Amino acid sequence: MSQWPDTRILDLLGIELPIIQAPMAGATTSAMVIAASNAGGLGSLPAAMLSIEQLREELKFIRQHSQRPLNVNFFCHQPPTADAGREQHWKNLLEPYYRELGVDFDAPTPVSNRAPFDNAACEVLEEFRPEVVSFHFGLPEQSLLDRVKATGAKILSSATSVDEAIWLEQHGCDAIIAMGYEAGGHRGMFLSADLNTQVGTMALVPQIVDAVSVPVIAAGGIGDARGIAAAFLLGASAVQLGTAYLFTPEAKVTASHHKALRTAKDSETALTNIFTGRPARGILNRVMRELGPISPAAPAFPLAGGALMPLRAKGEADFSNLWSGQALRLGVELPTAELTRLLAAQALAKLTVR
């Protein structure tokens, strides 16, 4: 019998430890997913930046190396309407950097794309039948969601407010990820675009717990056993950790991102929209300081990143998104499996002290 004070997520998802490795597009590798799942947590594969063939190959490889429950994560945003004028204005703002770095400003602008969940992706899920499917930016249209649920998958999605949590429960989520303001990467907000009213994890989790009947997963600013134990005391049934896994050898991060994670101060992350067009938390760098971090000129998600791509190739650290949550100073360099088991053991010890 589990010693955890709340076993609803363990029972719902069929996992041993109430720790979910966050799906971090670009940084999460299949090795990380396999290690997290095999350690007893829930490994999560981000699919937003994968082609359909890449998604199929990743799932095939993961299934060959782990039979434990698996989460596959998708974005479900609406594709943006093309706005050539806005995109050119954005590129014009970046022109001084092009000149400085010797990049051809007149060359065609690359396309930055993150694909929303669609019929082709749903067909892959019907083929591989992962135990858990999670979404960011709400949920897909009902017919697609019904097909996912028909595979037997449990449905998760992120809420950044109580209203979003209630909406997600009403629309079929089996558990809610309460995403506090401290979390790294893209904010999961979908009912509001107002960053000024976003709520921190400490305040958000218990209010969502009180507002919904499904289990709640705490995310944002949780980087060690103290945070995990605190999340349970606030009413969460599990935690989702992202930044903590960026310190593992299985993470795919650039040299500049690696360095920034290990040297940035606790006060050196900020929400920015300049890399993709939607607010996401990352470590401050030159382009964030000089253009934003929030710029009204940034094209709609995910188009803002296209004009930055040639600059990244020349000045990576200054022009790349260095996603991170506010708890980065708590990161420790351990393999994914060891980190998962250690954090769970330490948190359980704190929760069971007599």
Side-chain angles (χ1 to χ4, degrees), residues 268-281:
E268 291 184 320
T269 73
L271 290 173
T272 180
N273 69 338
I274 64 175
F275 295 110
T276 66
R278 285 191 74 122
R281 184 175 295 282

Side-chain angles (χ1 to χ4, degrees), residues 78 99 115 122 299 330:
Q78 291 296 316
R99 304 303 180 202
C122 193
L330 301 177

Side-chain angles (χ1 to χ4, degrees), residues 6 11 34 64-65 148 151-152 159 203 210 212 223 234 238 241 297 309 337 352:
D6 185 331
D11 298 336
I34 292 164
Q64 288 172 348
H65 293 85
V148 176
T151 69
D210 289 349
V212 301
L234 293 171
L241 305 180
M309 291 172 69
T352 55

Side-chain angles (χ1 to χ4, degrees), residues 34 43 46 71 101-102 117 131 154 165 168 221 230 257 263 272 283 345 351:
I34 292 164
N71 171 33
L101 297 176
F117 186 67
E131 291 77 9
K154 302 303 181 184
L168 290 173
H257 196 173
T263 59
T272 180
I283 298 169
L351 289 167

